[in-house]
Amino acid sequence: MKIICVGRNYTDHISELKNERPEEPVLFQKPDTSILLKKQPFFIPDFSNDIHYEVEVLVKIRKIGKHIQEKFAHKYYDEVGLGIDFTARDLQNKLKEKGLPWEKSKAFDGAAVISDKWLSKKDLPAMDDLKFRLEKNDEIVQSSTTAHMLWKIDELIAYISSYFTLKIGDIIFTGTPAGVGKVGTNDQLAGYLEEQQMFSIKVK
Ligand code: ZN
């Protein structure tokens, strides 16, 4: 399986990082080795002093497809989840300055938190208004809805599949809203989608 991530998909997050609003979605991938194993804490890697959380709605692909038209994109997924795109922001800034790929700052071991739980589309309201939030030590640090996405889920599936064939089990990280921030040792991070707790992880 592969993990495809979308960057700069919420206007408020684009401005907090002083990035330009993109003309097309920004895409990158994480390898399967970046998935944080179930029930394991997240260990801050020694190559960074500024690891940020980014809470994101996840989409699990259920059927193989390429060049998927937006109007058929809804047939390619049944379930949504929640995750964290951990980012070594200090390293990412250095790479960005040099115009180099972001991989080292985004694809390291443990950098992809994927909820154990997945919610079925049929039990949820419209995909374009899913409410989600991240709590750090019981305080809300990020809170948004998919209504604020620049590119909606179906548009993303169409766009992504024009570059990469989507396969069963692939997961799309759909981008983060404002409020990203640094994690420290002993932080507890809990993610909620439509009021259901999707994950809870400890930082070490
Ligand atoms: Zn992200």
Side-chain angles (χ1 to χ4, degrees):
M1 60 84 74
K2 60 183 170 297
I3 298 168
I4 302 117
C5 305
V6 180
R8 302 178 195 169
N9 200 25
Y10 288 81
T11 334
D12 54 355
H13 172 62
I14 294 172
S15 26
E16 79 177 340
L17 293 189
K18 299 189 174 63
N19 282 320
E20 271 174 46
R21 189 192 168 105
E23 281 165 23
E24 289 177 296
V26 173
L27 302 182
F28 58 94
Q29 295 193 31
K30 290 182 190 259
D32 56 6
T33 46
S34 68
I35 298 170
L36 186 68
L37 298 174
K38 282 191 202 327
K39 315 236 185 279
Q40 290 300 305
F42 171 78
F43 288 94
I44 296 176
D46 55 13
F47 53 75
S48 174
N49 291 313
D50 196 20
I51 296 287
H52 277 199
Y53 51 78
E54 295 188 354
V55 73
E56 313 203 357
V57 170
L58 311 182
V59 174
K60 194 192 276 178
I61 297 298
R62 57 174 285 265
K63 151 171 156 162
I64 189 164
K66 66 189 293 186
H67 299 298
I68 300 164
Q69 287 180 50
E70 190 187 322
K71 63 179 175 188
F72 298 126
H74 64 99
K75 297 180 183 217
Y76 288 79
Y77 69 103
D78 276 337
E79 293 177 309
V80 288
L82 197 71
I84 297 178
D85 165 20
F86 275 121
T87 304
R89 194 72 71 201
D90 43 0
L91 186 52
Q92 187 195 27
N93 287 338
K94 272 189 216 158
L95 296 166
K96 268 191 195 164
E97 263 168 39
K98 294 183 181 157
L100 293 170
W102 300 351
E103 255 82 357
K104 287 194 291 184
S105 68
K106 290 275 199 185
F108 57 88
D109 290 359
V113 173
I114 294 172
S115 52
D116 312 326
K117 203 191 272 188
W118 289 84
L119 307 182
S120 176
K121 261 196 319 202
K122 62 177 183 345
D123 301 328
L124 291 167
M127 286 297 107
D128 55 10
D129 191 16
L130 296 175
K131 290 167 188 63
F132 62 102
R133 69 177 190 274
L134 182 72
E135 295 184 0
K136 182 172 105 170
N137 307 326
D138 298 323
E139 266 178 51
I140 298 175
V141 286
Q142 290 189 276
S143 175
S144 192
T145 142
T146 54
H148 296 147
M149 285 179 166
L150 284 177
W151 288 279
K152 308 292 181 217
I153 293 172
D154 290 358
E155 289 175 273
L156 291 173
I157 289 175
Y159 183 80
I160 291 168
S161 72
S162 67
Y163 290 88
F164 315 121
T165 296
L166 289 171
K167 294 175 77 174
I168 296 169
D170 285 352
I171 290 173
I172 301 173
F173 275 63
T174 58
T176 198
V180 301
K182 189 173 175 170
V183 292
T185 312
N186 293 324
D187 280 347
Q188 187 76 34
L189 299 169
Y192 295 80
L193 178 60
E194 289 291 323
E195 295 308 321
Q196 295 203 50
Q197 189 179 83
M198 302 298 285
F199 62 76
S200 175
I201 59 159
K202 184 92 180 163
V203 177
K204 289 200 170 172

